[in-house]
Short mmCIF file of all heavy atoms in Angstrom, two decimals:
data_model
loop_
_atom_site.label_atom_id
_atom_site.label_comp_id
_atom_site.label_asym_id
_atom_site.label_seq_id
_atom_site.Cartn_x
_atom_site.Cartn_y
_atom_site.Cartn_z
N LEU A 500 -13.46 3.33 -8.94
CA LEU A 500 -12.02 3.11 -8.75
C LEU A 500 -11.41 4.17 -7.84
O LEU A 500 -10.42 3.89 -7.15
CB LEU A 500 -11.32 3.12 -10.11
CG LEU A 500 -11.62 1.92 -11.03
CD1 LEU A 500 -10.95 2.10 -12.38
CD2 LEU A 500 -11.17 0.62 -10.38
N SER A 501 -11.97 5.39 -7.84
CA SER A 501 -11.39 6.45 -7.01
C SER A 501 -11.49 6.12 -5.53
O SER A 501 -10.65 6.56 -4.73
CB SER A 501 -12.11 7.78 -7.29
OG SER A 501 -13.47 7.72 -6.88
N THR A 502 -12.52 5.36 -5.14
CA THR A 502 -12.67 5.01 -3.73
C THR A 502 -11.68 3.91 -3.31
O THR A 502 -11.49 3.68 -2.12
CB THR A 502 -14.10 4.51 -3.45
OG1 THR A 502 -14.34 3.32 -4.20
CG2 THR A 502 -15.12 5.55 -3.83
N CYS A 503 -11.07 3.25 -4.30
CA CYS A 503 -10.15 2.15 -4.00
C CYS A 503 -8.69 2.53 -4.18
O CYS A 503 -7.80 1.84 -3.67
CB CYS A 503 -10.46 0.95 -4.90
SG CYS A 503 -12.13 0.33 -4.78
N GLY A 504 -8.44 3.62 -4.95
CA GLY A 504 -7.07 3.97 -5.28
C GLY A 504 -6.20 4.23 -4.07
O GLY A 504 -5.06 3.73 -3.98
N SER A 505 -6.71 5.00 -3.11
CA SER A 505 -5.92 5.33 -1.92
C SER A 505 -5.61 4.07 -1.11
O SER A 505 -4.47 3.88 -0.65
CB SER A 505 -6.69 6.33 -1.05
OG SER A 505 -6.93 7.53 -1.75
N HIS A 506 -6.61 3.23 -0.94
CA HIS A 506 -6.41 2.00 -0.16
C HIS A 506 -5.41 1.09 -0.84
O HIS A 506 -4.54 0.50 -0.19
CB HIS A 506 -7.74 1.28 0.03
CG HIS A 506 -7.64 0.05 0.87
ND1 HIS A 506 -7.73 -1.22 0.33
CD2 HIS A 506 -7.43 -0.12 2.19
CE1 HIS A 506 -7.59 -2.10 1.30
NE2 HIS A 506 -7.43 -1.46 2.43
N LEU A 507 -5.48 0.96 -2.16
CA LEU A 507 -4.54 0.11 -2.89
C LEU A 507 -3.11 0.63 -2.77
O LEU A 507 -2.16 -0.16 -2.64
CB LEU A 507 -4.94 0.03 -4.37
CG LEU A 507 -6.00 -1.02 -4.73
CD1 LEU A 507 -6.36 -0.89 -6.20
CD2 LEU A 507 -5.49 -2.42 -4.43
N ALA A 508 -2.95 1.95 -2.80
CA ALA A 508 -1.61 2.53 -2.64
C ALA A 508 -1.03 2.21 -1.28
O ALA A 508 0.15 1.83 -1.15
CB ALA A 508 -1.68 4.04 -2.86
N VAL A 509 -1.84 2.33 -0.24
CA VAL A 509 -1.39 2.04 1.12
C VAL A 509 -1.05 0.55 1.26
O VAL A 509 -0.02 0.18 1.85
CB VAL A 509 -2.46 2.44 2.15
CG1 VAL A 509 -2.11 1.92 3.54
CG2 VAL A 509 -2.62 3.95 2.16
N VAL A 510 -1.90 -0.31 0.71
CA VAL A 510 -1.67 -1.76 0.77
C VAL A 510 -0.36 -2.11 0.08
O VAL A 510 0.45 -2.90 0.60
CB VAL A 510 -2.84 -2.53 0.13
CG1 VAL A 510 -2.47 -3.99 -0.08
CG2 VAL A 510 -4.07 -2.43 1.01
N GLY A 511 -0.12 -1.53 -1.10
CA GLY A 511 1.09 -1.85 -1.84
C GLY A 511 2.35 -1.47 -1.08
O GLY A 511 3.31 -2.24 -1.03
N ILE A 512 2.36 -0.28 -0.49
CA ILE A 512 3.54 0.18 0.24
C ILE A 512 3.76 -0.64 1.50
O ILE A 512 4.87 -1.11 1.79
CB ILE A 512 3.41 1.67 0.59
CG1 ILE A 512 3.35 2.52 -0.69
CG2 ILE A 512 4.57 2.13 1.46
CD1 ILE A 512 3.01 3.97 -0.44
N PHE A 513 2.68 -0.84 2.28
CA PHE A 513 2.82 -1.53 3.56
C PHE A 513 3.20 -3.00 3.37
O PHE A 513 4.17 -3.49 3.95
CB PHE A 513 1.52 -1.42 4.36
CG PHE A 513 1.57 -2.14 5.68
CD1 PHE A 513 2.20 -1.57 6.78
CD2 PHE A 513 1.00 -3.40 5.82
CE1 PHE A 513 2.26 -2.24 7.99
CE2 PHE A 513 1.05 -4.07 7.03
CZ PHE A 513 1.69 -3.49 8.11
N TYR A 514 2.43 -3.72 2.56
CA TYR A 514 2.67 -5.14 2.41
C TYR A 514 3.96 -5.42 1.65
O TYR A 514 4.63 -6.42 1.89
CB TYR A 514 1.49 -5.81 1.71
CG TYR A 514 0.40 -6.23 2.66
CD1 TYR A 514 -0.73 -5.45 2.84
CD2 TYR A 514 0.51 -7.40 3.40
CE1 TYR A 514 -1.73 -5.82 3.72
CE2 TYR A 514 -0.49 -7.78 4.28
CZ TYR A 514 -1.60 -6.99 4.44
OH TYR A 514 -2.58 -7.36 5.32
N GLY A 515 4.32 -4.54 0.71
CA GLY A 515 5.56 -4.74 -0.02
C GLY A 515 6.77 -4.77 0.89
O GLY A 515 7.63 -5.66 0.79
N THR A 516 6.84 -3.80 1.82
CA THR A 516 7.97 -3.74 2.74
C THR A 516 7.86 -4.78 3.86
O THR A 516 8.86 -5.36 4.27
CB THR A 516 8.09 -2.34 3.35
OG1 THR A 516 6.82 -1.97 3.93
CG2 THR A 516 8.45 -1.32 2.30
N ALA A 517 6.65 -5.01 4.35
CA ALA A 517 6.47 -5.98 5.44
C ALA A 517 6.79 -7.40 4.98
O ALA A 517 7.46 -8.17 5.70
CB ALA A 517 5.05 -5.91 5.98
N LEU A 518 6.34 -7.77 3.79
CA LEU A 518 6.63 -9.10 3.27
C LEU A 518 8.13 -9.27 3.02
O LEU A 518 8.70 -10.34 3.26
CB LEU A 518 5.85 -9.34 1.97
CG LEU A 518 4.33 -9.51 2.12
CD1 LEU A 518 3.67 -9.54 0.74
CD2 LEU A 518 4.00 -10.79 2.88
N ALA A 519 8.76 -8.20 2.55
CA ALA A 519 10.21 -8.25 2.33
C ALA A 519 10.97 -8.42 3.64
O ALA A 519 12.04 -9.03 3.67
CB ALA A 519 10.67 -6.98 1.61
N GLY A 520 10.42 -7.89 4.72
CA GLY A 520 11.11 -7.96 6.00
C GLY A 520 10.90 -9.25 6.78
O GLY A 520 11.78 -9.69 7.51
N TYR A 521 9.72 -9.88 6.62
CA TYR A 521 9.39 -11.01 7.48
C TYR A 521 9.31 -12.35 6.77
O TYR A 521 9.58 -13.38 7.38
CB TYR A 521 8.06 -10.73 8.20
CG TYR A 521 8.21 -9.79 9.36
CD1 TYR A 521 8.09 -8.41 9.19
CD2 TYR A 521 8.51 -10.25 10.64
CE1 TYR A 521 8.26 -7.54 10.23
CE2 TYR A 521 8.66 -9.38 11.70
CZ TYR A 521 8.53 -8.02 11.50
OH TYR A 521 8.69 -7.15 12.54
N LEU A 522 8.95 -12.38 5.50
CA LEU A 522 8.81 -13.66 4.81
C LEU A 522 10.00 -13.92 3.91
O LEU A 522 9.91 -13.96 2.69
CB LEU A 522 7.51 -13.69 4.00
CG LEU A 522 6.22 -13.73 4.81
CD1 LEU A 522 5.01 -13.78 3.89
CD2 LEU A 522 6.21 -14.93 5.75
N LYS A 523 11.16 -14.05 4.52
CA LYS A 523 12.38 -14.38 3.80
C LYS A 523 13.31 -15.15 4.73
O LYS A 523 13.18 -15.08 5.96
CB LYS A 523 13.08 -13.11 3.30
CG LYS A 523 13.58 -12.20 4.40
CD LYS A 523 14.27 -11.00 3.82
CE LYS A 523 14.86 -10.12 4.93
NZ LYS A 523 15.84 -10.82 5.76
N PRO A 524 14.26 -15.93 4.18
CA PRO A 524 15.18 -16.67 5.03
C PRO A 524 15.97 -15.74 5.93
O PRO A 524 16.48 -14.71 5.48
CB PRO A 524 16.10 -17.38 4.02
CG PRO A 524 15.31 -17.43 2.76
CD PRO A 524 14.45 -16.20 2.76
N GLN A 525 16.06 -16.10 7.20
CA GLN A 525 16.74 -15.25 8.17
C GLN A 525 18.22 -15.59 8.26
O GLN A 525 18.61 -16.75 8.41
CB GLN A 525 16.10 -15.42 9.56
CG GLN A 525 14.65 -14.96 9.61
CD GLN A 525 14.52 -13.48 9.32
OE1 GLN A 525 15.22 -12.65 9.88
NE2 GLN A 525 13.60 -13.15 8.41
N ALA A 526 19.07 -14.57 8.14
CA ALA A 526 20.51 -14.75 8.27
C ALA A 526 20.89 -14.73 9.75
O ALA A 526 20.08 -14.45 10.62
CB ALA A 526 21.24 -13.65 7.51
N LYS A 527 22.18 -15.01 10.03
CA LYS A 527 22.64 -15.05 11.41
C LYS A 527 22.77 -13.65 12.00
O LYS A 527 22.75 -13.49 13.22
CB LYS A 527 23.98 -15.79 11.50
CG LYS A 527 23.88 -17.28 11.18
CD LYS A 527 25.22 -17.96 11.37
CE LYS A 527 25.10 -19.46 11.09
NZ LYS A 527 26.41 -20.16 11.26
N THR A 528 22.95 -12.66 11.16
CA THR A 528 23.08 -11.28 11.63
C THR A 528 22.06 -10.41 10.92
O THR A 528 21.60 -10.72 9.82
CB THR A 528 24.48 -10.72 11.36
OG1 THR A 528 24.74 -10.78 9.95
CG2 THR A 528 25.53 -11.52 12.11
N PHE A 529 21.72 -9.30 11.57
CA PHE A 529 20.76 -8.35 11.00
C PHE A 529 21.54 -7.37 10.14
O PHE A 529 22.48 -6.72 10.60
CB PHE A 529 20.02 -7.62 12.12
CG PHE A 529 18.64 -7.20 11.73
CD1 PHE A 529 17.58 -8.08 11.81
CD2 PHE A 529 18.39 -5.91 11.28
CE1 PHE A 529 16.29 -7.69 11.46
CE2 PHE A 529 17.12 -5.51 10.94
CZ PHE A 529 16.07 -6.41 11.02
N THR A 530 21.17 -7.22 8.87
CA THR A 530 21.93 -6.42 7.92
C THR A 530 21.42 -4.99 7.85
O THR A 530 20.32 -4.68 8.30
CB THR A 530 21.88 -7.05 6.52
OG1 THR A 530 20.52 -7.02 6.05
CG2 THR A 530 22.36 -8.50 6.56
N ASP A 531 22.26 -4.12 7.24
CA ASP A 531 21.85 -2.73 7.06
C ASP A 531 20.67 -2.62 6.10
O ASP A 531 19.84 -1.71 6.22
CB ASP A 531 23.03 -1.90 6.54
CG ASP A 531 24.12 -1.72 7.60
OD1 ASP A 531 23.79 -1.84 8.80
OD2 ASP A 531 25.27 -1.45 7.22
N GLN A 532 20.62 -3.52 5.11
CA GLN A 532 19.49 -3.51 4.18
C GLN A 532 18.18 -3.79 4.91
O GLN A 532 17.13 -3.19 4.60
CB GLN A 532 19.70 -4.56 3.08
CG GLN A 532 20.80 -4.22 2.08
CD GLN A 532 22.19 -4.51 2.60
OE1 GLN A 532 22.35 -5.06 3.69
NE2 GLN A 532 23.20 -4.14 1.82
N GLU A 533 18.21 -4.67 5.90
CA GLU A 533 17.01 -4.97 6.67
C GLU A 533 16.60 -3.78 7.52
O GLU A 533 15.41 -3.56 7.78
CB GLU A 533 17.25 -6.21 7.55
CG GLU A 533 17.34 -7.51 6.76
CD GLU A 533 17.71 -8.69 7.62
OE1 GLU A 533 18.76 -8.61 8.29
OE2 GLU A 533 16.98 -9.69 7.63
N LYS A 534 17.57 -2.99 7.96
CA LYS A 534 17.25 -1.77 8.71
C LYS A 534 16.50 -0.79 7.82
O LYS A 534 15.53 -0.15 8.25
CB LYS A 534 18.53 -1.10 9.22
CG LYS A 534 19.27 -1.87 10.29
CD LYS A 534 20.48 -1.05 10.73
CE LYS A 534 21.42 -1.84 11.60
NZ LYS A 534 22.63 -1.06 11.96
N ILE A 535 16.93 -0.66 6.57
CA ILE A 535 16.27 0.25 5.64
C ILE A 535 14.84 -0.20 5.38
O ILE A 535 13.91 0.62 5.34
CB ILE A 535 17.07 0.33 4.32
CG1 ILE A 535 18.45 0.96 4.59
CG2 ILE A 535 16.31 1.15 3.28
CD1 ILE A 535 19.37 0.96 3.40
N VAL A 536 14.64 -1.51 5.21
CA VAL A 536 13.29 -2.04 5.02
C VAL A 536 12.44 -1.73 6.24
O VAL A 536 11.27 -1.34 6.13
CB VAL A 536 13.33 -3.56 4.77
CG1 VAL A 536 11.92 -4.15 4.77
CG2 VAL A 536 14.00 -3.86 3.43
N ALA A 537 13.03 -1.86 7.44
CA ALA A 537 12.30 -1.58 8.68
C ALA A 537 11.90 -0.11 8.75
O ALA A 537 10.82 0.23 9.26
CB ALA A 537 13.15 -1.95 9.89
N VAL A 538 12.75 0.79 8.25
CA VAL A 538 12.41 2.21 8.23
C VAL A 538 11.20 2.46 7.34
O VAL A 538 10.31 3.25 7.67
CB VAL A 538 13.62 3.06 7.75
CG1 VAL A 538 13.18 4.49 7.46
CG2 VAL A 538 14.72 3.05 8.79
N PHE A 539 11.14 1.74 6.22
CA PHE A 539 10.04 1.95 5.28
C PHE A 539 8.71 1.53 5.88
O PHE A 539 7.74 2.29 5.83
CB PHE A 539 10.30 1.20 3.97
CG PHE A 539 11.00 2.03 2.94
CD1 PHE A 539 12.38 2.05 2.85
CD2 PHE A 539 10.27 2.82 2.06
CE1 PHE A 539 13.02 2.83 1.91
CE2 PHE A 539 10.89 3.60 1.11
CZ PHE A 539 12.28 3.61 1.03
N TYR A 540 8.63 0.32 6.47
CA TYR A 540 7.32 -0.09 6.99
C TYR A 540 7.06 0.47 8.38
O TYR A 540 5.92 0.48 8.84
CB TYR A 540 7.15 -1.61 6.95
CG TYR A 540 7.99 -2.43 7.89
CD1 TYR A 540 7.74 -2.47 9.26
CD2 TYR A 540 9.04 -3.22 7.42
CE1 TYR A 540 8.50 -3.24 10.12
CE2 TYR A 540 9.80 -4.00 8.27
CZ TYR A 540 9.54 -3.99 9.61
OH TYR A 540 10.30 -4.76 10.46
N GLY A 541 8.10 0.95 9.08
CA GLY A 541 7.89 1.46 10.43
C GLY A 541 7.79 2.97 10.53
O GLY A 541 7.22 3.48 11.50
#
């Protein structure tokens, strides 16, 4: 499990924010909340 822990942590952080940013209904304007999500994965 120790060899997988680091990779799982990275996967959770990256995919959590990326999925929140790209796989959701798009509004007509870009919101401040979306900017914060972009800061997290970027």
Side-chain angles (χ1 to χ4, degrees):
L500 291 176
S501 66
T502 63
C503 303
S505 300
H506 183 253
L507 276 176
V509 170
V510 168
I512 297 171
F513 178 80
Y514 273 99
T516 53
L518 290 172
Y521 282 89
L522 291 181
K523 65 179 183 60
Q525 296 298 311
K527 292 184 179 180
T528 58
F529 209 83
T530 65
D531 290 337
Q532 289 79 5
E533 289 174 305
K534 293 182 191 177
I535 295 174
V536 172
V538 169
F539 268 91
Y540 69 73

